[in-house]
Amino acid sequence: MAASNTVDGTPGTAQAWSPRLALLVAATFFMEFLDGTVLTTAIPNIAADFRVPAPDVNITMTAYLLTVAMGIPLSGWLAERFGARRIFCLAIAIFTLASLACSLSQDLAALTLSRIAQGFGGAMMVPVGTLVVLRGTPKAELLRATAFLVWPGLLAPVLAPLVGGALTTYLSWHWIFLINLPLGAAAFLAALRLVPAGAGDGGRRLDWLGLALTTLGVGALVVGLELASTHPDAPWAAMSAASGAVALACAVLWMRRARNPLFDLGVFSTCTFRAMATGGFAYRLTISSVPFLLPLMFQAGFGWSPLQAGAMVAAVFIGNIGIKPATTPLIRRFGFKVMLVFASLASAATFALCALLTADTPGPLTFALLVCSGAFRSIGFSAYTSVQYADIAPAQLTSANVVSATLVQLAAAAGIAVGALLIRLFDGLSAFPSDAAGPFRGAFLAMAVLMLASTADSLFLPRHAGAEVSQRRAQRV
């Protein structure tokens, strides 16, 4: 899928680097990411209101995440065909109105359908918003731009339990969705003002077969990963994941031969982008498991209250924010390869240390460890998000952006699924016969080993990978 380095592909409409626009896009991402997991703490209240078993409410989360994942492949074509500004504003409107519908739902079926609509809006906001920012950002400013775009993915999984718990406890579960109304309205008005207008390409044709295979493949993979984390004994998880992998393989074979493919698979020939799809996928998978594993270990393993566990997990959030002003200078000073290797090795070390925590570990020591873990994940997130576009040609930007967004969604789902499977795998092993936190320790050790796969991948990057973005070579000449 071709794209130019101008807004909506229209000549003469090149967009200048705009921090305000990047911040707007980041804010919409935060809403989308937050709503993916914030409902967890409200499930008992929703179940009580609808008079259904609590596990049944999980369908609303699955439907949302599934719709987001399946909708992303179409979003790139929509932006090319109808214009990025139009689709981005439409996505905000759909997400906001669907949030209102969620808050007004009177039964589980209505809430699930509203969540599907909300997920479709979110699926367009993620890649189209990123595309709007990337198209107008010179390579020299890419680090600054991605610094704005990275924080939603880092903070939302950590803040979701606190936000959901506070709104549900002091107001009601409806406010989890109602809070999106003023935020969405403000974002919509800001988008009309900040996103440059541009006509789409009315002649751009849609690769229907490529879209069908990709959408079905991504959907089946997400369903398989979800089933693996909730019903690991059922055969449907493996069957769904396998069928998804087959569909995606068929999509790749088709798009290699198609005249107008849904994606330009040539993006994988760029080593910096390929690093995001290999080592970067392993990196995102492992760090996505942390917000899932930590609260469970603190509550089920240490016997802490939800409030105590949530407050301790907030240390990860502090590390994310605290290191953020230093991430760009660090990458400019040492380069992408060094920082990616460092971030993965340091993250693996913190995972191994988390396996040594006990209920008797001094609170300040646990808190400091989690602050460091948050800082290291922030460095890695920023580096991968920036380096993946460092050597992408303008004509490949749309394809690279949509493929990246899809892989991010799959990595997040895989992180939770693999974390749940590891807990079950280590549960009852003789190595931890009487320790309630034993399975979680085993899971953290396994995640530390998996993180080393991303380290090995980063070691194969060229020494000056992404130098045009980091500007490291120019500084040393």
Side-chain angles (χ1 to χ4, degrees), residues 269-276 278 331 334-341 387 390-391 455-468 470 472-473 476:
S269 63
T270 303
C271 70
T272 47
F273 184 84
R274 191 168 59 247
M276 176 280 304
T278 52
I331 292 172
F334 297 103
F336 282 110
K337 179 176 181 177
V338 171
M339 294 314 300
L340 286 173
V341 171
V387 77
D391 303 311
T455 306
D457 186 77
S458 297
L459 288 172
F460 287 100
L461 280 173
R463 180 182 178 186
H464 294 293
E468 187 178 357
S470 68
R472 182 169 181 259
R473 180 180 296 173
R476 297 186 62 169

Side-chain angles (χ1 to χ4, degrees), residues 46-66:
I46 295 174
D49 280 0
F50 291 164
R51 295 181 174 84
V52 297
D56 290 357
V57 183
N58 284 326
I59 187 63
T60 62
M61 294 183 60
T62 302
Y64 177 86
L65 296 173
L66 183 61

Side-chain angles (χ1 to χ4, degrees), residues 227-242:
L227 291 174
S229 61
T230 55
H231 302 87
D233 294 331
W236 306 112
M239 293 173 61
S240 180

